[in-house]
Amino acid sequence: MDKSNQKYDVAIIGSGIGGSTLASVLARQGLSVIVFEGGSHPRFTIGESMILETSEAMRALAEFYDVPELAYYSSENYYSYIGTAHGVKRHFGFVHHTPGEHVSAQKSLQAVIPKMPYGHEIHILRQDSDYFLTSVAVSYGATVLQNTFIQDIQVSPDCVEIFTNKGKTFTAEYIIDAGGMKSILANKFNWRHRDCLSYSRTIFTHMVDVPCFNNVSLSKKVFGHPYRFSEGTLHHVFKGGWLWIIPFNNHPASTNPLCSVGMQLDPRIYPQRDDLNPEQEFYAFVEQFPDIYAQLKDAHAVRDWMRIDRLQYSAHHIVGDRFALLAHAAGFIDPLYSKGLYVTHASIFLAADLLLKAKRTGDYSAAAFAPLEKMTLGYIQMHDRLVASSFKSWHNFKLWNVYEVLWLLGAYLEYLRLITNRFRANGDREKYLKLMKPHRLAGGGFELFFEIQEKIDALIDAVNPEDEADVDRTVEEVKAHFDRFPWMSSAFKDLLNGKNHLPDNKLRLNLLNRQVGFMGSGAYREHFFGSESPARYLQKAAADQLKYSVPALKLRRKTRARLSWQKKGG
């Protein structure tokens, strides 16, 4: 059916996880939506490692916009919904390497992801997840045109016209560009820039026959970690870069032999080897690290190797009259810490709310969507800051050993506040957005975290990692900042004192302090928990845990899933 003569409420460029999720939300809320996809599903893409913040953002979208399918990729508890092609993620694992040397158990970190209350995180096979979410958008009423490229976009005061490669012209009230780095709107308005602190290039593929790192290096027992490295996302880190290992075949129910493998390098230290193809360059580089090479020497790529020069980019602006950039069209920093999908889903929540308001008011101006620009660019800038400091800290393990705590503390506070935001809002979207306003990707919007974060990042900027005396002075100053931060769990302080892993439970008695903890009347209590009593939060947490438990999800699937054999009344 030719739908080019219809005027849509919203047009979306790109049906990746961002575009398809936004389309699902808007269509579910009654807007007419059309999505343009240059390729076709299923398709290969990366961005496969979930984090607690992204999972919580998905639950919030599912609940506040009544699209339950958006929570399906939030934990392992949903395997019966999404299939067993996805991996499990029980931890963030890091091993620090020095050329020519074998690894040390002391130079490692395993940040355990708690199984309670929602189940462990997952490694998402994106060709499946993106295709599924595109199908969800269609099922809620969105029109999706695959193999359809946009030739041009004309923005006028009263509409947006979209011209495709198939000679069709479509009209919409508003357009969202989720088309990635080559965003047609970012280029049209000359908004793209690369003025970022981070600087990395990448080589990546999917492989088979990648062994667990514990099988080729030190055992789990020798490392002293709660889990094997293959049960989570493994980061091999070294001066000037890092390498990821993301297995999909890491649990007994898995039906997928693949493992995502990729490497990020600072090209100022490691310029691209144009004399070698991507695979040759990859192996020529990892040969200098005996344990990394041992893990990958017998693995086999199942698709062409990809090599991309500098990844980092952002935009001077992301909103204009009747249009906005979303997800990787707005900017991208680095796969490190897997923050990209969190930025995307947080932006979707706000973008959807603004679009629903614009539908009621008729105001599609840049001014009306200014909060989206402020939030998105702020999140991207924080990610850029964390990545740049992390890259520098890897020059010397002593720096990384203290900087890792800042990253972990920021992620923990962000996740805690996201959950309490959802509980406190109690289904009120406006209240939830108000609570989200101070957030900046890490730290849970807590100003006292931002104060020490800025001071620690300034110290990392100033240190000479090749000067051991300067490194030692910097490490002591960083530790002093943490000592003056009373809201930090002793579980994080243990890392500063030589422990190489975090436990499941990060809650410690010091957070119950009547003066500064969340049980008392301190700043921490006020910011993260507001006026509600701890008992009330425990009740909500217990109800939430039951709601997202495996038995409850299985029952829901039996009684309410949209399966071909299910129908009302029979």
Side-chain angles (χ1 to χ4, degrees), residues 151-168:
Q151 301 284 68
D152 194 15
I153 296 169
Q154 294 296 326
V155 181
S156 64
D158 58 351
C159 71
V160 179
E161 290 183 297
I162 304 105
F163 303 89
T164 74
N165 63 328
K166 297 181 177 179
K168 299 286 187 180

Side-chain angles (χ1 to χ4, degrees), residues 193-222:
H193 76 78
R194 292 184 178 269
D195 185 19
C196 302
L197 299 170
S198 307
Y199 208 114
S200 62
R201 64 184 181 92
T202 188
I203 305 173
F204 61 90
T205 190
H206 276 173
M207 306 186 85
V208 293
D209 303 324
V210 178
C212 175
F213 188 62
N214 294 116
N215 291 354
V216 299
S217 181
L218 305 179
S219 67
K220 179 173 79 75
K221 182 178 180 180
V222 173

Side-chain angles (χ1 to χ4, degrees), residues 93-99 101-110 223 225 229 235-240 389-405 460 463-468 471-472 474-475 478-479 494-501:
F94 290 81
V95 180
H96 190 273
H97 296 261
T98 301
E101 298 181 10
H102 288 286
V103 300
S104 163
Q106 287 69 44
K107 293 185 176 182
S108 67
L109 167 68
Q110 192 172 95
F223 269 112
H225 295 153
F229 273 117
H235 305 69
H236 293 298
V237 302
F238 41 81
K239 177 181 177 179
S389 291
S390 296
F391 264 74
K392 187 171 182 181
S393 76
W394 296 332
H395 286 236
N396 189 308
F397 177 74
K398 287 184 285 188
L399 291 173
W400 167 236
N401 190 223
V402 293
Y403 196 76
E404 69 187 21
V405 175
I460 298 295
V463 69
N464 177 1
E466 312 303 328
D467 183 337
E468 289 297 325
V471 168
D472 290 341
T474 299
V475 166
V478 172
K479 288 183 176 180
D494 289 343
L495 299 178
L496 299 172
N497 296 320
K499 194 169 183 178
N500 70 358
H501 65 274

Side-chain angles (χ1 to χ4, degrees), residues 340-461:
L341 288 179
Y342 172 42
V343 177
T344 295
H345 286 81
S347 299
I348 287 169
F349 196 111
L350 180 54
D353 183 74
L354 294 172
L355 285 164
L356 291 170
K357 289 175 181 173
K359 172 67 174 178
R360 295 193 299 269
T361 65
D363 184 359
Y364 293 96
S365 67
F369 286 78
L372 179 64
E373 176 166 297
K374 181 179 179 181
M375 189 216 77
T376 303
L377 294 182
Y379 278 40
I380 291 171
Q381 288 161 9
M382 177 65 85
H383 191 203
D384 188 27
R385 177 70 271 179
L386 290 171
V387 169
S389 291
S390 296
F391 264 74
K392 187 171 182 181
S393 76
W394 296 332
H395 286 236
N396 189 308
F397 177 74
K398 287 184 285 188
L399 291 173
W400 167 236
N401 190 223
V402 293
Y403 196 76
E404 69 187 21
V405 175
L406 184 69
W407 155 60
L408 286 165
L409 178 61
Y412 167 72
L413 294 177
E414 188 77 6
Y415 179 57
L416 173 63
R417 167 85 175 195
L418 287 174
I419 291 177
T420 60
N421 285 352
R422 179 162 57 88
F423 288 174
R424 291 165 69 180
N426 198 30
D428 185 333
R429 196 164 64 227
E430 289 301 311
K431 187 174 181 180
Y432 180 83
L433 285 168
K434 184 177 180 180
L435 290 166
M436 286 295 299
K437 202 167 184 179
H439 283 248
R440 302 184 205 168
L441 184 84
F446 192 34
E447 281 295 335
L448 294 168
F449 169 83
F450 298 140
E451 288 181 13
I452 68 161
Q453 171 256 315
E454 290 168 4
K455 291 173 181 176
I456 291 173
D457 278 318
L459 288 169
I460 298 295
D461 279 344

Side-chain angles (χ1 to χ4, degrees), residues 413 416-417 420-421 424 435 446 448 486-487 510-538:
L413 294 177
L416 173 63
R417 167 85 175 195
T420 60
N421 285 352
R424 291 165 69 180
L435 290 166
F446 192 34
L448 294 168
W487 304 281
N510 67 304
L511 296 180
L512 305 181
N513 184 289
R514 296 291 296 181
Q515 297 302 314
V516 298
F518 63 77
M519 292 289 285
S521 57
Y524 186 100
R525 166 72 171 86
E526 173 67 24
H527 181 77
F528 288 93
F529 296 90
S531 60
E532 289 202 44
S533 69
R536 180 61 178 149
Y537 277 108
L538 289 174

